Amino acid sequence: MDMTAMFKLTYGLFVVTAKDGDKDNGCITNTAAQVTSDPNRISLTVNKTNYTHDMIVKTGVFNVSILSEKAVFDTFKHFGFQSGRDVDKFADYTDCERAANGIFYITKGTNAYLSAKVVQAVDLGTHTMFIADVTDGQVLTQDASTTYTYYQTNIKPAPQPPKSKKTTWVCQICGYVYEGEELPADFVCPWCKHGPADFKKVEA
Ligand code: FE
């Protein structure tokens, strides 16, 4: 099998937000998709290591902010490359407002948001797939939704040439650089949680 065939699947990119008591959090995902129109339902698959995952399991509600081609890399870094367990991602974040369900949505680099209420959770091992009723939604701009390919080509900064004389492995998803001759087979990118298949070797 040619694993790169998987790379031809197309995805959007989203900030998923949740709220548990006084705690707000959000993360980046490429996994929101409509599954039925009547009732209007979406699926959202979230890695169990994400703090947002646990908040959705507990509260059963979330918002999906749909990222547009105007999104900037800082938004991906802010919501994607740090954990809500370590930092309060909304402490000094001003590009957001609260939807009717009380959960933040993102107002910068987005074109719409959806509010959703979980009706079913499917355990997929490393991830949980939430099936959720869409309870609300607003269009924010007429900018085109970004695809994963557009992000890779136009939003993610070009990789910098390695500063060291060592062999490095560069994560093709987020740009994280691992230094070393061989990448461990069970390596997990600390920023985006992707595995060795998404790393490219850069010879010294
Ligand atoms: Fe990565």
Side-chain angles (χ1 to χ4, degrees), residues 21-204:
D22 293 338
K23 179 78 181 176
D24 290 287
N25 194 36
C27 66
I28 300 281
T29 179
N30 64 343
T31 59
Q34 186 174 18
V35 288
T36 56
S37 56
D38 187 15
N40 185 16
R41 279 184 178 159
I42 57 173
S43 65
L44 175 78
T45 306
V46 186
N47 192 309
K48 289 180 181 175
T49 62
N50 284 343
Y51 185 41
T52 309
H53 170 275
D54 296 355
M55 296 171 76
I56 297 173
V57 167
K58 187 174 172 190
T59 63
V61 282
F62 61 88
N63 288 342
V64 174
S65 298
I66 301 170
L67 289 160
S68 77
E69 291 183 350
K70 295 279 174 63
V72 294
F73 188 60
D74 271 350
T75 302
F76 291 88
K77 281 202 298 192
H78 186 81
F79 288 104
F81 301 168
Q82 54 184 352
S83 173
R85 288 192 180 87
D86 308 322
V87 294
D88 181 352
K89 296 184 188 179
F90 284 96
D92 300 309
Y93 197 80
T94 53
D95 298 317
C96 55
E97 284 179 30
R98 288 196 190 275
N101 63 3
I103 300 172
F104 279 127
Y105 63 92
I106 309 306
T107 55
K108 184 183 168 192
T110 51
N111 59 17
Y113 74 87
L114 303 172
S115 295
K117 190 173 193 315
V118 175
V119 294
Q120 191 182 344
V122 184
D123 190 336
L124 300 177
T126 56
H127 293 64
T128 299
M129 174 186 274
F130 300 102
I131 307 296
D133 281 334
V134 177
T135 57
D136 196 10
Q138 299 294 334
V139 172
L140 304 172
T141 69
Q142 294 302 326
D143 300 324
S145 300
T146 187
T147 61
Y148 190 66
T149 303
Y150 186 91
Y151 163 78
Q152 289 283 355
T153 311
N154 298 290
I155 299 176
K156 193 179 78 171
Q160 300 299 306
K163 294 188 185 82
S164 71
K165 296 264 186 280
K166 293 175 186 158
T167 296
T168 58
W169 295 76
V170 181
C171 178
Q172 301 301 294
I173 308 298
C174 71
Y176 177 82
V177 177
Y178 175 90
E179 254 184 28
E181 232 5 83
E182 291 305 324
L183 188 70
D186 59 352
F187 191 75
V188 175
C189 178
W191 285 359
C192 72
K193 313 288 190 258
H194 282 240
D198 289 310
F199 277 77
K200 195 169 168 185
K201 190 175 188 176
V202 181
E203 303 282 357

